[in-house]
Amino acid sequence: MRVVADAPIPLAICRVKDEWFAFENNCTHEDFPLTEGGVDGTEVECALHGARFCLRTGEVRAFPASCPIRVFPVHVEGDVIQVELP
């Protein structure tokens, strides 16, 4: 996982095999950076309390979080990674 510097929101990206994911880098449970945790398959886990989120949809996969995270489409063109933000 990597934090995206200078993004208009707290943003992180990660790669799992050949798939790229972009997501808001805040756990919805305690506003803690998800990049402090880890990735297991296509789920990211918050290091603070263990909440887990799907990297594809943002849905909660483990409590104590009850609200999903925001995820964003990623496009890769050569060595350039582009994230679609609202």
Side-chain angles (χ1 to χ4, degrees):
M1 286 187 287
R2 298 280 189 259
V3 174
V4 178
D6 300 324
I9 61 170
L11 184 67
I13 60 171
C14 72
R15 181 177 167 189
V16 177
K17 297 185 181 179
D18 291 331
E19 193 170 1
W20 286 91
F21 300 97
F23 54 94
E24 191 165 9
N25 189 26
N26 281 323
C27 179
T28 58
H29 174 248
E30 284 281 332
D31 194 31
F32 190 79
L34 291 170
T35 50
E36 296 292 320
V39 172
D40 182 14
T42 57
E43 293 183 357
V44 61
E45 181 175 3
C46 179
L48 191 59
H49 293 117
R52 294 174 69 94
F53 303 91
C54 176
L55 289 169
R56 288 190 177 106
T57 65
E59 73 183 49
V60 176
R61 294 285 174 90
F63 297 105
S66 59
C67 296
I69 59 171
R70 294 192 302 169
V71 296
F72 307 100
V74 178
H75 305 283
V76 179
E77 297 179 17
D79 292 338
V80 177
I81 302 166
Q82 299 175 332
V83 178
E84 284 184 42
L85 297 177

